[in-house]
Amino acid sequence: MAAKRKRGALAAGKAKRARSAPSAGEAVPEGGPPERSIPPQEYSIPPPVSQGKWKNKERVLIFSSRGINFRTRHLMQDLRTLMPHSKADTKMDRKDQLFVINEVCEMKNCNKCIFFEAKKKQDLYMWLSNTPQGPSAKFLVQNVHTLAELKMTGNCLRGSRPLLSFDPIFDLEPHYALLKELFIQIFSTPQYHPKSQPFVDHVFTFSITDERIWFRNYQIIEEDASLVEIGPRFVLNLIKIFQGSFGGPTLYENPHYQSPNMHRRLIRLSVAAKFREKQQVKEVQKIKKKGTKVLVEEDPTEVVFETPAEEKPVEIQLVKPESKPIVKDKKKLRKIQRKKQKKLFRTEG
């Protein structure tokens, strides 16, 4: 019975199957109209022609040295999330030389590198390098603010490709033009990257103010094409540009750069100078107080303004004055005064 049911079910399934439309080679039967009309042929617009090949195979290695603080670690993680073509690696020991990074990039199959170097647990340096040929640039990172710290209202799709916006000054000077090309190759996501999304919804801006490069990340709002800042944000103070990767001949050195050690030293010297000045003022005041006072001779003109006062005769009181009774109530005081007056009248009478 089970086998018969299966066969019946198969037959019913074949009967319910829809008729296929006749092909171009087959002729429509002449005997009577068909039971069901043939639906019209549907036309679809073909998608845009694109190769879809990942040709620009830029890979960026983002890692750091040991001794970084929590803010640097979060900044490094934010850059990894914003750049889908990036790779991570373990922290490098401080004793190792910087040219070892070229071998690490070769092992990781990366041709670009962002390396964060921490010194004295308070100074942060960033290396941007094109490995292994070069060039490379060293920056001092200042005013770091991460995504979790800013809590901005903007948001963007994870893995989307960013637009890069540069200040016009990047095209005027040669060292800025070199940095612009380095930023383009490192921060721009390659087209058709496997981990990227086919959307452009945020902008990386690089602006130059006060001889420093300011990095900002903005979201593009679709309604009115306005910009809302997302984060992270940081400021790059250029130190040197080298011909090789993490070393080599110096192509450019920033004359306006001041090391953090020198900056802290100047602050300490200014505080010490203020303290020294206060101490000197106190010593001068003590010397003035201890010094002998110079006696000034009498001025003869002071007698002119002296007016002699009238001398009053000296009166000697031989009788002790009567003590006045202390009475709090005024009515009682008046009664006592009246009694005294009556006694005086009687004695006089």
Side-chain angles (χ1 to χ4, degrees), residues 308-343:
E310 295 180 359
E311 294 182 0
K312 294 182 179 180
V314 180
E315 294 182 359
I316 298 172
Q317 194 171 13
L318 300 175
V319 183
K320 183 180 177 181
E322 294 180 0
S323 60
K324 295 181 180 180
I326 301 169
V327 182
K328 293 182 180 180
D329 194 357
K330 293 181 179 179
K331 292 182 179 179
K332 289 183 179 181
L333 181 62
R334 288 173 185 170
K335 287 180 181 178
I336 292 168
Q337 288 176 354
R338 286 174 187 169
K339 286 180 180 178
K340 286 182 179 180
Q341 287 177 0
K342 287 179 180 178
K343 284 181 181 179

Tab-separated table of all heavy atoms in Angstrom, residues 308-343:
chain	number	residue	atom	x	y	z
A	308	PRO	N	48.605	127.200	68.479
A	308	PRO	CA	48.576	126.970	69.942
A	308	PRO	C	47.156	126.895	70.461
A	308	PRO	O	46.298	127.706	70.098
A	308	PRO	CB	49.307	128.198	70.487
A	308	PRO	CG	49.184	129.226	69.428
A	308	PRO	CD	49.131	128.517	68.113
A	309	ALA	N	46.869	125.934	71.298
A	309	ALA	CA	45.533	125.756	71.870
A	309	ALA	C	45.405	126.560	73.183
A	309	ALA	O	46.403	126.856	73.842
A	309	ALA	CB	45.292	124.273	72.168
A	310	GLU	N	44.168	126.954	73.531
A	310	GLU	CA	43.927	127.724	74.759
A	310	GLU	C	44.147	126.853	75.988
A	310	GLU	O	43.627	125.723	76.036
A	310	GLU	CB	42.495	128.251	74.758
A	310	GLU	CG	42.241	129.243	73.652
A	310	GLU	CD	40.800	129.753	73.684
A	310	GLU	OE1	40.050	129.279	74.571
A	310	GLU	OE2	40.450	130.585	72.836
A	311	GLU	N	44.889	127.380	76.950
A	311	GLU	CA	45.155	126.608	78.154
A	311	GLU	C	44.006	126.788	79.158
A	311	GLU	O	43.662	127.892	79.513
A	311	GLU	CB	46.458	127.093	78.787
A	311	GLU	CG	47.662	126.803	77.935
A	311	GLU	CD	48.945	127.250	78.631
A	311	GLU	OE1	48.851	127.770	79.769
A	311	GLU	OE2	50.017	127.058	78.030
A	312	LYS	N	43.409	125.705	79.558
A	312	LYS	CA	42.278	125.726	80.497
A	312	LYS	C	42.824	125.570	81.932
A	312	LYS	O	43.796	124.840	82.139
A	312	LYS	CB	41.321	124.583	80.192
A	312	LYS	CG	40.647	124.732	78.848
A	312	LYS	CD	39.674	123.583	78.611
A	312	LYS	CE	38.982	123.742	77.265
A	312	LYS	NZ	38.029	122.641	77.019
A	313	PRO	N	42.212	126.318	82.894
A	313	PRO	CA	42.675	126.191	84.287
A	313	PRO	C	42.397	124.807	84.832
A	313	PRO	O	41.375	124.191	84.500
A	313	PRO	CB	41.859	127.254	85.038
A	313	PRO	CG	40.649	127.446	84.201
A	313	PRO	CD	41.066	127.243	82.771
A	314	VAL	N	43.300	124.350	85.652
A	314	VAL	CA	43.174	123.009	86.226
A	314	VAL	C	42.270	123.090	87.445
A	314	VAL	O	42.512	123.874	88.362
A	314	VAL	CB	44.560	122.454	86.617
A	314	VAL	CG1	44.413	121.058	87.213
A	314	VAL	CG2	45.471	122.435	85.414
A	315	GLU	N	41.180	122.336	87.470
A	315	GLU	CA	40.238	122.305	88.576
A	315	GLU	C	40.437	121.018	89.364
A	315	GLU	O	40.446	119.937	88.780
A	315	GLU	CB	38.801	122.372	88.053
A	315	GLU	CG	38.479	123.695	87.389
A	315	GLU	CD	37.036	123.745	86.914
A	315	GLU	OE1	36.329	122.714	87.115
A	315	GLU	OE2	36.615	124.773	86.370
A	316	ILE	N	40.596	121.231	90.703
A	316	ILE	CA	40.783	120.070	91.571
A	316	ILE	C	39.493	119.873	92.358
A	316	ILE	O	39.037	120.775	93.050
A	316	ILE	CB	41.961	120.278	92.539
A	316	ILE	CG1	43.249	120.451	91.725
A	316	ILE	CG2	42.081	119.081	93.491
A	316	ILE	CD1	44.430	120.856	92.565
A	317	GLN	N	38.875	118.717	92.221
A	317	GLN	CA	37.592	118.414	92.870
A	317	GLN	C	37.905	117.732	94.202
A	317	GLN	O	38.467	116.631	94.249
A	317	GLN	CB	36.767	117.484	91.978
A	317	GLN	CG	35.322	117.390	92.393
A	317	GLN	CD	34.502	116.622	91.349
A	317	GLN	OE1	35.076	115.990	90.481
A	317	GLN	NE2	33.193	116.719	91.443
A	318	LEU	N	37.552	118.433	95.315
A	318	LEU	CA	37.852	117.918	96.649
A	318	LEU	C	36.742	117.022	97.191
A	318	LEU	O	37.001	116.156	98.015
A	318	LEU	CB	38.075	119.087	97.605
A	318	LEU	CG	39.237	120.024	97.224
A	318	LEU	CD1	39.265	121.199	98.165
A	318	LEU	CD2	40.551	119.273	97.238
A	319	VAL	N	35.501	117.263	96.762
A	319	VAL	CA	34.353	116.483	97.259
A	319	VAL	C	34.075	115.339	96.282
A	319	VAL	O	34.086	115.545	95.064
A	319	VAL	CB	33.106	117.374	97.409
A	319	VAL	CG1	31.934	116.565	97.987
A	319	VAL	CG2	33.409	118.567	98.282
A	320	LYS	N	33.820	114.222	96.876
A	320	LYS	CA	33.502	113.066	96.047
A	320	LYS	C	32.123	113.230	95.418
A	320	LYS	O	31.173	113.567	96.123
A	320	LYS	CB	33.542	111.814	96.924
A	320	LYS	CG	33.294	110.543	96.154
A	320	LYS	CD	33.341	109.343	97.105
A	320	LYS	CE	33.020	108.079	96.311
A	320	LYS	NZ	33.034	106.891	97.207
A	321	PRO	N	31.974	113.020	94.162
A	321	PRO	CA	30.654	113.183	93.534
A	321	PRO	C	29.688	112.118	94.008
A	321	PRO	O	30.090	111.001	94.354
A	321	PRO	CB	30.952	113.065	92.049
A	321	PRO	CG	32.204	112.272	91.958
A	321	PRO	CD	33.006	112.620	93.177
A	322	GLU	N	28.429	112.563	94.086
A	322	GLU	CA	27.408	111.630	94.541
A	322	GLU	C	27.193	110.547	93.488
A	322	GLU	O	27.170	110.807	92.286
A	322	GLU	CB	26.100	112.380	94.789
A	322	GLU	CG	26.188	113.366	95.926
A	322	GLU	CD	24.861	114.071	96.134
A	322	GLU	OE1	23.921	113.744	95.362
A	322	GLU	OE2	24.777	114.891	97.038
A	323	SER	N	27.011	109.380	94.040
A	323	SER	CA	26.759	108.239	93.127
A	323	SER	C	25.302	108.242	92.714
A	323	SER	O	24.410	108.403	93.548
A	323	SER	CB	27.118	106.938	93.831
A	323	SER	OG	26.335	106.767	94.993
A	324	LYS	N	25.066	108.044	91.466
A	324	LYS	CA	23.705	108.028	90.941
A	324	LYS	C	23.132	106.628	91.102
A	324	LYS	O	23.805	105.630	90.803
A	324	LYS	CB	23.699	108.418	89.475
A	324	LYS	CG	24.153	109.852	89.251
A	324	LYS	CD	24.102	110.182	87.786
A	324	LYS	CE	24.554	111.613	87.535
A	324	LYS	NZ	24.513	111.959	86.097
A	325	PRO	N	21.898	106.603	91.623
A	325	PRO	CA	21.287	105.266	91.780
A	325	PRO	C	20.987	104.637	90.411
A	325	PRO	O	20.537	105.306	89.475
A	325	PRO	CB	20.002	105.556	92.556
A	325	PRO	CG	19.683	106.965	92.223
A	325	PRO	CD	20.993	107.674	92.042
A	326	ILE	N	21.283	103.367	90.340
A	326	ILE	CA	21.017	102.633	89.077
A	326	ILE	C	19.625	102.043	89.180
A	326	ILE	O	19.378	101.122	89.980
A	326	ILE	CB	22.069	101.539	88.867
A	326	ILE	CG1	23.470	102.156	88.807
A	326	ILE	CG2	21.773	100.749	87.604
A	326	ILE	CD1	24.574	101.137	88.864
A	327	VAL	N	18.717	102.599	88.443
A	327	VAL	CA	17.331	102.141	88.451
A	327	VAL	C	16.933	101.809	87.023
A	327	VAL	O	17.108	102.639	86.113
A	327	VAL	CB	16.382	103.223	89.026
A	327	VAL	CG1	14.955	102.690	89.054
A	327	VAL	CG2	16.847	103.627	90.410
A	328	LYS	N	16.437	100.626	86.912
A	328	LYS	CA	16.032	100.202	85.569
A	328	LYS	C	14.688	100.803	85.195
A	328	LYS	O	14.458	101.149	84.037
A	328	LYS	CB	15.973	98.678	85.498
A	328	LYS	CG	17.339	98.024	85.632
A	328	LYS	CD	17.219	96.514	85.496
A	328	LYS	CE	18.597	95.868	85.643
A	328	LYS	NZ	18.535	94.400	85.527
A	329	ASP	N	13.783	100.936	86.187
A	329	ASP	CA	12.460	101.463	85.887
A	329	ASP	C	12.501	102.991	85.929
A	329	ASP	O	12.954	103.585	86.914
A	329	ASP	CB	11.454	100.944	86.919
A	329	ASP	CG	10.020	101.178	86.446
A	329	ASP	OD1	9.864	101.793	85.368
A	329	ASP	OD2	9.095	100.741	87.138
A	330	LYS	N	12.043	103.623	84.880
A	330	LYS	CA	12.079	105.089	84.785
A	330	LYS	C	11.096	105.738	85.765
A	330	LYS	O	11.357	106.822	86.295
A	330	LYS	CB	11.760	105.542	83.354
A	330	LYS	CG	12.845	105.147	82.362
A	330	LYS	CD	12.492	105.650	80.976
A	330	LYS	CE	13.585	105.271	79.973
A	330	LYS	NZ	13.263	105.729	78.625
A	331	LYS	N	9.976	105.125	86.019
A	331	LYS	CA	8.975	105.690	86.920
A	331	LYS	C	9.532	105.772	88.341
A	331	LYS	O	9.354	106.769	89.039
A	331	LYS	CB	7.698	104.843	86.914
A	331	LYS	CG	6.965	104.929	85.591
A	331	LYS	CD	5.685	104.106	85.650
A	331	LYS	CE	4.928	104.223	84.328
A	331	LYS	NZ	3.693	103.424	84.353
A	332	LYS	N	10.215	104.744	88.767
A	332	LYS	CA	10.826	104.769	90.105
A	332	LYS	C	11.884	105.859	90.184
A	332	LYS	O	12.018	106.539	91.212
A	332	LYS	CB	11.456	103.415	90.410
A	332	LYS	CG	10.432	102.316	90.654
A	332	LYS	CD	11.136	101.033	91.030
A	332	LYS	CE	10.097	99.929	91.308
A	332	LYS	NZ	10.751	98.667	91.696
A	333	LEU	N	12.634	106.052	89.114
A	333	LEU	CA	13.654	107.095	89.103
A	333	LEU	C	13.027	108.478	89.255
A	333	LEU	O	13.537	109.349	89.997
A	333	LEU	CB	14.445	107.001	87.810
A	333	LEU	CG	15.578	108.006	87.621
A	333	LEU	CD1	16.640	107.807	88.717
A	333	LEU	CD2	16.208	107.868	86.243
A	334	ARG	N	11.916	108.694	88.600
A	334	ARG	CA	11.225	109.983	88.710
A	334	ARG	C	10.702	110.201	90.141
A	334	ARG	O	10.771	111.320	90.688
A	334	ARG	CB	10.071	110.043	87.720
A	334	ARG	CG	10.556	110.180	86.272
A	334	ARG	CD	9.382	110.062	85.316
A	334	ARG	NE	9.848	110.069	83.939
A	334	ARG	CZ	9.060	109.782	82.914
A	334	ARG	NH1	7.771	109.457	83.138
A	334	ARG	NH2	9.546	109.820	81.700
A	335	LYS	N	10.185	109.152	90.750
A	335	LYS	CA	9.687	109.270	92.114
A	335	LYS	C	10.816	109.651	93.066
A	335	LYS	O	10.659	110.492	93.964
A	335	LYS	CB	9.053	107.952	92.560
A	335	LYS	CG	7.720	107.675	91.912
A	335	LYS	CD	7.156	106.344	92.418
A	335	LYS	CE	5.815	106.058	91.735
A	335	LYS	NZ	5.276	104.748	92.185
A	336	ILE	N	11.969	109.010	92.863
A	336	ILE	CA	13.117	109.319	93.736
A	336	ILE	C	13.552	110.759	93.563
A	336	ILE	O	13.862	111.472	94.540
A	336	ILE	CB	14.268	108.355	93.423
A	336	ILE	CG1	13.889	106.932	93.858
A	336	ILE	CG2	15.551	108.766	94.145
A	336	ILE	CD1	14.802	105.863	93.349
A	337	GLN	N	13.551	111.262	92.354
A	337	GLN	CA	13.939	112.656	92.087
A	337	GLN	C	12.940	113.637	92.734
A	337	GLN	O	13.341	114.668	93.304
A	337	GLN	CB	14.026	112.905	90.590
A	337	GLN	CG	15.223	112.228	89.940
A	337	GLN	CD	15.244	112.417	88.433
A	337	GLN	OE1	14.287	112.974	87.880
A	337	GLN	NE2	16.320	111.961	87.799
A	338	ARG	N	11.669	113.319	92.672
A	338	ARG	CA	10.648	114.184	93.293
A	338	ARG	C	10.836	114.234	94.809
A	338	ARG	O	10.711	115.301	95.451
A	338	ARG	CB	9.255	113.670	92.949
A	338	ARG	CG	8.852	113.950	91.511
A	338	ARG	CD	7.521	113.286	91.200
A	338	ARG	NE	7.202	113.413	89.790
A	338	ARG	CZ	6.214	112.764	89.193
A	338	ARG	NH1	5.464	111.908	89.920
A	338	ARG	NH2	5.974	112.948	87.921
A	339	LYS	N	11.128	113.082	95.433
A	339	LYS	CA	11.330	113.048	96.881
A	339	LYS	C	12.506	113.917	97.284
A	339	LYS	O	12.481	114.646	98.274
A	339	LYS	CB	11.564	111.616	97.346
A	339	LYS	CG	10.306	110.762	97.355
A	339	LYS	CD	10.614	109.347	97.823
A	339	LYS	CE	9.340	108.514	97.819
A	339	LYS	NZ	9.599	107.116	98.233
A	340	LYS	N	13.593	113.881	96.505
A	340	LYS	CA	14.768	114.696	96.800
A	340	LYS	C	14.445	116.191	96.683
A	340	LYS	O	14.875	117.018	97.506
A	340	LYS	CB	15.911	114.346	95.843
A	340	LYS	CG	16.577	113.015	96.157
A	340	LYS	CD	17.715	112.766	95.190
A	340	LYS	CE	18.405	111.449	95.505
A	340	LYS	NZ	19.516	111.193	94.584
A	341	GLN	N	13.632	116.526	95.660
A	341	GLN	CA	13.264	117.932	95.475
A	341	GLN	C	12.400	118.436	96.654
A	341	GLN	O	12.576	119.566	97.148
A	341	GLN	CB	12.506	118.108	94.156
A	341	GLN	CG	13.410	117.996	92.936
A	341	GLN	CD	12.624	118.090	91.627
A	341	GLN	OE1	11.389	118.244	91.679
A	341	GLN	NE2	13.345	118.030	90.522
A	342	LYS	N	11.498	117.595	97.130
A	342	LYS	CA	10.656	117.972	98.254
A	342	LYS	C	11.500	118.202	99.509
A	342	LYS	O	11.284	119.122	100.277
A	342	LYS	CB	9.605	116.895	98.525
A	342	LYS	CG	8.509	116.883	97.484
A	342	LYS	CD	7.496	115.760	97.787
A	342	LYS	CE	6.391	115.744	96.731
A	342	LYS	NZ	5.428	114.645	96.985
A	343	LYS	N	12.487	117.340	99.736
A	343	LYS	CA	13.372	117.500	100.899
A	343	LYS	C	14.131	118.811	100.825
A	343	LYS	O	14.317	119.520	101.816
A	343	LYS	CB	14.360	116.339	100.958
A	343	LYS	CG	13.740	115.048	101.451
A	343	LYS	CD	14.797	113.957	101.499
A	343	LYS	CE	14.166	112.650	101.965
A	343	LYS	NZ	15.150	111.550	102.011
